[in-house]
C-alpha cells in the first residue's frame, strides 16, 4: 500500500483513487469515496469504494488519497 504509516480507519470517507488488474489482464482505474474496510485475522484487509466491489489493499496499485 502506497499510503504508509496511515491508520486504515482514517481512510474512511476519504476520496481515493487506485488501479487494479482485472481477470481479463486489463488494468482498470477506480476512484471514489472509501466507504468500507474489512479486517481479516489471517489475510490482508479489504476495502470498498462507493459501497461497490471489495478490493484487497495488497492487490491494488497506485493507491492515493485525494488531498
Amino acid at each position: 500500500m502506497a499510503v504508509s504509516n496511515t491508520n486504515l480507519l482514517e481512510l474512511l470517507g476519504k476520496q481515493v483513487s487506485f488501479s487494479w488488474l482485472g481477470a481479463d489482464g486489463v488494468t482498470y482505474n477506480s476512484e471514489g469515496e472509501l466507504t468500507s474496510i474489512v479486517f481479516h485475522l489471517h489475510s490482508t484487509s479489504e476495502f470498498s469504494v462507493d459501497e461497490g466491489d471489495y478490493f484487497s489493499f495488497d492487490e491494488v496499485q497506485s493507491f492515493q488519497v485525494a488531498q
Side-chain angles (χ1 to χ4, degrees):
M1 185 170 97
V3 184
S4 61
N5 298 321
T6 299
N7 182 335
L8 291 180
L9 292 177
E10 293 175 1
L11 296 175
L12 282 172
K14 303 279 184 171
Q15 291 293 317
V16 298
S17 63
F18 60 95
S19 59
W20 54 281
L21 185 63
D24 55 5
V26 175
T27 299
Y28 296 94
N29 295 315
S30 295
E31 60 182 34
E33 181 183 20
L34 197 141
T35 53
S36 299
I37 298 175
V38 178
F39 296 96
H40 297 282
L41 183 60
H42 297 291
S43 63
T44 61
S45 300
E46 298 177 313
F47 66 95
S48 70
V49 172
D50 296 331
E51 300 185 20
D53 293 331
Y54 281 82
F55 299 91
S56 169
F57 280 103
D58 287 348
E59 296 174 348
V60 300
Q61 305 166 355
S62 305
F63 187 90
Q64 296 181 339
V65 178
Q67 297 296 333

